[in-house]
Amino acid sequence: ETGVTQSPTHLIKTRGQQVTLRCSSQSGHNTVSWYQQALGQGPQFIFQYYREEENGRGNFPPRFSGLQFPNYSSELNVNALELDDSALYLCASSLAEGRDEQFFGPGTRLTVL
Amino acid sequence: LAKTTQPISMDSYEGQEVNITCSHNNIATNDYITWYQQFPSQGPRFIIQGYKTKVTNEVASLFIPADRKSSTLSLPRVSLSDTAVYYCLVGDISNQGGKLIFGQGTELSVKP
């Protein structure tokens, strides 16, 4: 059984550019969530996808968007990058049932210059 | 949503028992208490979850008093590898659109 994987590990972009981050869920999990973690802070929920539909969203603007594919892999897209978007982006997969634990990937470190 | 308060940092020595207390005064009836651990440059990892009284697994114990307004994560005989940030989360994830709500966490430093 493979765990949650994310790519790339690190990424450097400039302000105004667009970025796509990728996540492969843990085997058997049909729900994926994305979190943004600024330095020294706890992760902040961006959104969750269940069976290819957005299932919940945190307080992030529409330029943060996502996709979930039939094989339950997922993408996070961020348009018009801002300096404050520099953070660790974490993907977590889980079963749809409410109280199951979420399994996090190692994250993608995004730096916006 | 219940807000949590936990110490920003704690220091310990190898072999000691570490207790990290989390306050959650406005916890709701359906809320569970969950603890996650995060090492530098890694994603958080689930440690333990409970609703009331005591829960124990191979990693930690979780003590929850009857009023459920606080909880204590107990790590027996810590080692250097337990140095990490520990997050206390309170909520009913089934009613939160799958959202886990993290606070700032407690940075535990274990020294030799």
Side-chain angles (χ1 to χ4, degrees):
Chain A
E1 179 183 283
T2 56
V4 178
T5 59
Q6 293 186 243
S7 63
T9 307
H10 296 88
L11 199 53
I12 299 175
K13 292 285 190 178
T14 55
R15 196 171 49 181
Q17 284 189 310
Q18 178 266 343
V19 69
T20 298
L21 310 181
R22 293 180 174 82
C23 170
S24 231
S25 297
Q26 182 154 324
S27 176
H29 288 181
N30 57 14
T31 303
V32 65
S33 304
W34 285 90
Y35 293 80
Q36 179 195 65
Q37 186 173 24
L39 206 59
Q41 304 294 318
Q44 299 298 305
F45 177 78
I46 303 175
F47 43 56
Q48 182 184 80
Y49 278 79
Y50 170 63
R51 291 185 176 176
E52 303 174 56
E53 296 286 332
E54 188 177 290
N55 190 39
R57 190 176 183 93
N59 190 27
F60 280 81
R63 59 190 185 83
F64 286 79
S65 63
L67 282 173
Q68 186 184 30
F69 300 101
N71 65 355
Y72 303 132
S73 64
S74 174
E75 286 182 357
L76 165 65
N77 299 291
V78 187
N79 293 322
L81 283 167
E82 301 176 359
L83 298 179
D84 285 349
D85 295 334
S86 294
L88 181 68
Y89 288 86
L90 296 160
C91 162
S93 74
S94 60
L95 296 171
E97 288 80 359
R99 293 185 175 84
D100 281 349
E101 64 191 87
Q102 295 192 7
F103 295 81
F104 284 80
T108 293
R109 172 70 63 188
L110 172 66
T111 302
V112 182
L113 302 176
Chain B
L1 297 169
K3 181 181 175 181
T4 60
T5 303
Q6 50 183 127
I8 293 174
S9 64
M10 292 181 69
D11 291 332
S12 183
Y13 291 93
E14 280 190 294
Q16 288 187 330
E17 177 184 76
V18 171
N19 295 309
I20 305 174
T21 297
C22 179
S23 297
H24 29 81
N25 289 320
N26 59 341
I27 188 169
T29 303
N30 293 335
D31 288 345
Y32 276 66
I33 299 157
T34 310
W35 286 80
Y36 275 78
Q37 174 194 55
Q38 186 176 23
F39 298 113
S41 300
Q42 292 188 26
R45 182 177 74 106
F46 173 94
I47 301 176
I48 197 166
Q49 184 181 71
Y51 184 80
K52 62 180 179 180
T53 63
K54 177 183 174 182
V55 180
T56 297
N57 61 23
E58 64 277 7
V59 176
S61 294
L62 179 59
F63 298 92
I64 305 168
D67 66 6
R68 304 202 325 124
K69 293 185 184 299
S70 67
S71 58
T72 299
L73 175 72
S74 180
L75 305 172
R77 294 192 301 280
V78 294
S79 63
L80 297 177
S81 62
D82 291 316
T83 294
V85 179
Y86 292 83
Y87 295 98
C88 165
L89 287 74
V90 172
D92 178 6
I93 193 171
S94 66
N95 217 23
Q96 292 171 187
K99 173 168 58 175
L100 294 177
I101 300 170
F102 290 84
Q104 278 203 299
T106 296
E107 187 169 4
L108 173 65
S109 178
V110 180
K111 302 173 183 177

